[in-house]
Amino acid sequence: MLRSPCPLALPLLVATVAIGTAAHASSADTVRHSGARRTANHGPATFGRLPQPGDFNVIVVVLDDLGTDKLAIYGADVGPPVHCASAQVSWIPTPTLDQLRAEGILFTRCYSNPTCSPTRGTIMTGRYAMRTGMGYAIYPSDNPGYELPASETLLPELVRDANPHPYRRAAFGKWHLTDYDSGDCNPADNGFELFEGIHGNPVSHYDWRKVTSVGGTAAGCTSTISEDVRDPDGSPPSIAAWDAAVTRTDAAAWIHGLDASERFFAYVCFSPPHAPFQVPPFSTLSPATCALLGALNYDAGDTAHGGNPDDARLIFHANIEAVDHELGRLLAGIPVDVMARTMVVVVGDNGTVGTMISDPALAGHGKRSLYELGTRVPLIVKGPLVGAHAGGTCRSLVGTVDLWRTVAEMTGLRSVDVDAAMGGTPIDSLSFLDAILDPSRPLARTTAYSEEFPNGEIPPLGPEFKRGITDGTFRYKRIHFGGGVTEEDLFHTAVDPCELIDLLEPPHVLTDPEAAALAALQAAMDAI
């Protein structure tokens, strides 16, 4: 017996691995005819100048463990660079992301680090992990857990201190930049007036510890409380305790509580579809997905029966759909006049976790790896700055590290102001605001860089340092092991998108273009 209503009006969805435009069209038809949730459509806007301080609100949404291979909007119809086609999934209903893509700019070559904490560190600091020491995901077993050094200037601090127009600042959901046990004040000590969420990954999406901290001034955190979020004993899992719904509710309440004249920066981080892979509330799912889960005797909160890998992937996909639903509810609930002056940025924190990649042969290419499937992430930007370019596609290289400067510029800061505020601190963030104003404009970034190392063991001091860099045509990887041992790989991703042929492996002999690409990527990596 299902614990939530499960309408059976639509035929069962069948999970498929699809390639090309036909699959994308099928997904789009599902969106048009299913009565799906949508963000408010405010029509195209024309914005002919750079933003001034206080012109726009900014909402940054971080999606967890969701690579481009799981989204129909990244199907083959977006053009080159091509994907590893055998891993492309196009059936998952994501009407909110579909509409954001239709009304915004889709970035097809955005790259992250292989795990969540280092990527979130780049978003918050504008600096590569090797400069901040945040090289790997923080775990509850870490004692103590690493946190970004207090000397770093986090994005909300930059917006607070360098912008002449006051901005309200709050963070919601998964933080994952501090110790699980002792870091309750960390977000509020680093520029956010309010944090409501969880420090890391929950043991259950329906039973977790919520932290609320208040601060955001130069004096830092002023108060913090924590509470256990769960359904009453004996009650089935419900949306009231589901962490993604709580994140949406908290963010919406804060935004609605602001005065219409106030400008704000909201950082919203949903925890699903990250593990544990539990069935989300049925009210967040389309009738077809709900029926498919019901036919397999799944209830909200369940994990895959007997560890069945196909069922686990189905549940993972259902969580993508459910988070899309919560994002849609958040955006649709914002008043039209507020949304009309709000920029929305949606980004992934790393690629899809390996066991959830549709092709089992590529499981080692997902999260925690330096392959494309592990580091290439969604990035969509919507809002008044997009103007007449709604529905556009940017194929230039972008890194998650670039959000720091770009979001600051959305609030009206100029790059010269940002640099002045940072003094001589090395900043790796490059703005992609030009591509939001016109996606055909070339960007300054010529390579995108990813890395992984043990937290706090800033290279080259640590025993292992994994580095990857791409120019959009070739991908070069270099792994330093203890004792001075180094492993190198080179892939021609433009013709080998699944990265199955290492050009540095004998008997292959590098062609002149391959050798030139290798030398250029090695030099670019060495220059970082």
Side-chain angles (χ1 to χ4, degrees):
M1 176 68 68
L2 290 176
R3 295 169 180 159
S4 300
C6 184
L8 298 176
L10 295 182
L12 299 183
L13 266 178
V14 178
T16 58
V17 177
I19 304 173
T21 57
H24 183 75
S26 176
S27 175
D29 289 341
T30 299
V31 171
R32 283 195 293 268
H33 297 298
S34 65
R37 302 149 311 267
R38 292 187 177 276
T39 58
N41 185 351
H42 309 291
T46 301
F47 204 83
R49 59 176 173 80
L50 292 173
Q52 301 300 307
D55 273 347
F56 303 118
N57 309 305
V58 183
I59 301 174
V60 173
V61 178
V62 179
L63 303 176
D64 206 328
D65 282 6
L66 177 57
T68 58
D69 57 299
K70 294 295 182 183
L71 298 176
I73 55 174
Y74 281 93
D77 61 315
V78 302
V82 295
H83 280 270
C84 183
S86 62
Q88 186 72 35
V89 172
S90 296
W91 72 270
I92 305 170
T94 54
T96 302
L97 294 178
D98 292 352
Q99 185 163 352
L100 288 172
R101 188 271 179 272
E103 298 176 358
I105 305 296
L106 181 75
F107 291 79
T108 64
R109 288 196 282 185
C110 178
Y111 290 90
S112 69
N113 284 317
T115 58
C116 31
S117 298
T119 294
R120 293 161 195 262
T122 64
I123 294 171
M124 282 291 111
T125 67
R127 285 157 46 87
Y128 291 137
M130 62 183 293
R131 305 195 199 282
T132 67
M134 185 66 76
Y136 201 71
I138 302 169
Y139 285 94
S141 58
D142 296 346
N143 189 22
Y146 188 77
E147 67 181 33
L148 290 171
S151 58
E152 295 294 333
T153 300
L154 271 61
L155 182 54
E157 294 177 297
L158 178 67
V159 171
R160 179 193 67 194
D161 297 339
N163 199 311
H165 193 286
Y167 268 77
R168 305 296 302 273
R169 307 161 314 281
F172 305 93
K174 176 178 168 181
W175 180 239
H176 216 188
L177 289 173
T178 190
D179 184 78
Y180 275 61
D181 296 322
S182 62
D184 286 0
C185 269
N186 188 259
D189 277 336
N190 286 281
F192 285 111
E193 299 173 60
L194 174 69
F195 169 71
E196 293 183 287
I198 187 170
H199 280 318
N201 296 314
V203 176
S204 168
H205 293 295
Y206 294 90
D207 186 351
W208 51 286
R209 177 176 174 264
K210 178 183 173 182
V211 173
T212 300
S213 57
V214 178
T217 66
C221 184
T222 58
S223 68
T224 181
I225 59 173
S226 63
E227 58 183 320
D228 291 328
V229 179
R230 63 170 67 98
D231 290 296
D233 290 345
S235 300
S238 75
I239 196 167
W242 191 53
D243 54 9
V246 175
T247 295
R248 182 260 306 162
T249 301
D250 289 342
W254 181 75
I255 292 171
H256 281 274
L258 299 175
D259 188 272
S261 64
E262 293 182 294
R263 294 294 172 265
F264 65 84
F265 164 48
Y267 181 63
V268 183
C269 304
F270 294 105
S271 184
H274 191 287
F277 307 123
Q278 298 169 283
V279 175
F282 282 99
S283 60
T284 64
L285 302 175
S286 63
T289 303
C290 179
L292 182 55
L293 288 164
L296 296 171
N297 296 315
Y298 279 104
D299 295 324
D302 285 353
T303 56
H305 297 160
N308 183 295
D310 291 330
D311 287 8
R313 277 189 287 272
L314 170 62
I315 293 170
F316 181 79
H317 294 163
N319 274 279
I320 296 170
E321 180 182 346
V323 167
D324 183 88
H325 169 84
E326 292 302 316
L327 175 58
R329 290 192 66 185
L330 171 64
L331 299 181
I334 297 174
V336 171
D337 61 328
V338 176
M339 277 300 295
R341 55 177 181 269
T342 299
M343 297 299 299
V344 179
V345 181
V346 180
V347 67
D349 67 347
N350 48 248
T352 302
V353 63
T355 55
M356 297 299 118
I357 289 175
S358 299
D359 186 346
L362 296 172
H365 286 215
K367 176 184 177 178
R368 299 188 182 90
S369 84
L370 290 167
Y371 291 101
E372 290 271 309
L373 284 171
T375 58
R376 188 168 164 187
V377 296
L379 176 61
I380 312 167
V381 179
K382 173 192 178 295
L385 285 171
V386 171
H389 296 286
T393 301
C394 175
R395 298 187 176 93
S396 295
L397 291 170
V398 172
T400 56
V401 69
D402 298 332
L403 268 72
W404 184 84
R405 187 181 293 270
T406 306
V407 170
E409 290 187 354
M410 287 179 182
T411 70
L413 289 172
R414 298 288 180 269
S415 273
V416 63
D417 302 323
V418 173
D419 292 334
M422 296 305 296
T425 302
I427 298 297
D428 303 299
S429 185
L430 300 176
S431 175
F432 55 88
L433 182 63
D434 274 354
I436 297 170
L437 297 170
D438 181 352
S440 68
R441 292 181 182 176
L443 296 178
R445 181 166 296 287
T446 57
T447 59
Y449 173 71
S450 307
E451 60 190 331
E452 179 181 289
F453 54 88
N455 280 331
E457 298 180 2
I458 298 178
L461 301 178
E464 185 172 303
F465 186 20
K466 301 178 181 179
R467 313 179 78 187
I469 194 167
T470 181
D471 61 5
T473 301
F474 290 88
R475 171 172 284 276
Y476 169 67
K477 298 193 298 180
R478 182 191 296 168
I479 302 177
H480 300 274
F481 299 99
V485 177
T486 301
E487 174 186 305
E488 295 180 292
D489 304 295
L490 180 68
F491 299 95
H492 191 176
T493 51
V495 298
D496 177 26
C498 291
E499 295 167 285
L500 301 177
I501 303 171
D502 182 358
L503 300 178
L504 300 183
E505 282 286 327
H508 183 79
V509 176
L510 293 179
T511 64
D512 288 344
E514 291 167 349
L518 174 63
L521 290 172
Q522 288 173 325
M525 181 178 286
D526 291 339
I528 294 174

